[in-house]
Amino acid sequence: ERSRSTNFAARQFPSYEFIVAVFYKVFGFHDFISRVVNFIIFCLGVWAVYELFFLLFTSAFAAAVAAWGFCWSPELFYHGINALPDVLALSASVAGFAFFLKWRESRKSFLIPVFVFFLVLAGLTKIQFLAVGLPIFAIFIKDVTAKKYSTSELLMLVSSGIFCVIIPLLWYLHALQMIEQSGLRD
């Protein structure tokens, strides 16, 4: 009998594919469209890395070095124009982390749904990118012990964190059910 475990990659939410399909709908089907879309996402990821490191180290030089390193990472350099969802998941996870830090610094409430959106998008696209929540959680715990959050902020962050994890997990459970119902385990 076949193993009941299947590859998580086969269960990913088709967010990347949807974005590419929208571009196909607008510009017509051309082979280069998916490469251009992925390159745009990659460039947004470079910006997100710059923002993240600027917020972490308050240094434009450190942020520029981090963004430069991101550009020349062998994996990203190769996949930056390939039609794969990994670049979207990585860029979204970095953007989510950066927007969390922006919220932490400014306490502007409109940033909470922004960082939640990016973290959920990252987790739906590739579940392993929810791991970005670990450093966010560490910062959250450090801030809680230092009593840096009001009760309403604390409740909003806890509910946001639960939402960021539950939505991707519910999708992956649903995807497992679809795989079992269809018999398409490969």
Side-chain angles (χ1 to χ4, degrees), residues 40-54 63 67 70-71 91 94-96 98-99 102 114 118:
I40 292 167
I41 293 167
F42 173 73
C43 290
L44 292 172
V46 172
W47 168 80
V49 167
Y50 180 89
E51 288 294 318
L52 175 64
F53 277 78
F54 186 80
F70 184 84
C71 286
S91 296
V94 172
F99 279 109
K102 279 183 184 252
V114 175
F118 282 113

Side-chain angles (χ1 to χ4, degrees), residues 19 21 27 40 53 78 91 97 120 125 131 139 150 161 169:
I19 293 168
F27 299 108
I40 292 167
F53 277 78
Y78 178 76
S91 296
F97 193 0
V120 169
T125 305
I139 292 168
S150 69
L169 289 179

Side-chain angles (χ1 to χ4, degrees), residues 128-166:
Q128 62 267 34
F129 287 93
L130 282 179
V132 75
L134 295 175
I136 293 171
F137 185 69
I139 292 168
F140 169 76
I141 293 298
K142 180 181 151 252
D143 289 350
V144 166
T145 57
K147 299 181 193 276
K148 290 189 176 183
Y149 300 128
S150 69
T151 303
S152 63
E153 289 173 334
L154 189 60
L155 290 172
M156 182 60 74
L157 288 175
V158 168
S159 60
S160 296
I162 291 169
F163 187 81
C164 288
V165 174
I166 292 294

Side-chain angles (χ1 to χ4, degrees), residues 24-70:
Y24 284 156
K25 188 81 170 159
V26 172
F27 299 108
F29 182 79
H30 304 285
D31 289 333
F32 71 90
I33 294 287
S34 61
R35 292 181 185 272
V36 170
V37 168
N38 220 41
F39 184 70
I40 292 167
I41 293 167
F42 173 73
C43 290
L44 292 172
V46 172
W47 168 80
V49 167
Y50 180 89
E51 288 294 318
L52 175 64
F53 277 78
F54 186 80
L55 290 162
L56 285 172
F57 300 107
T58 60
S59 164
F61 178 75
V65 168
W68 181 83
F70 184 84

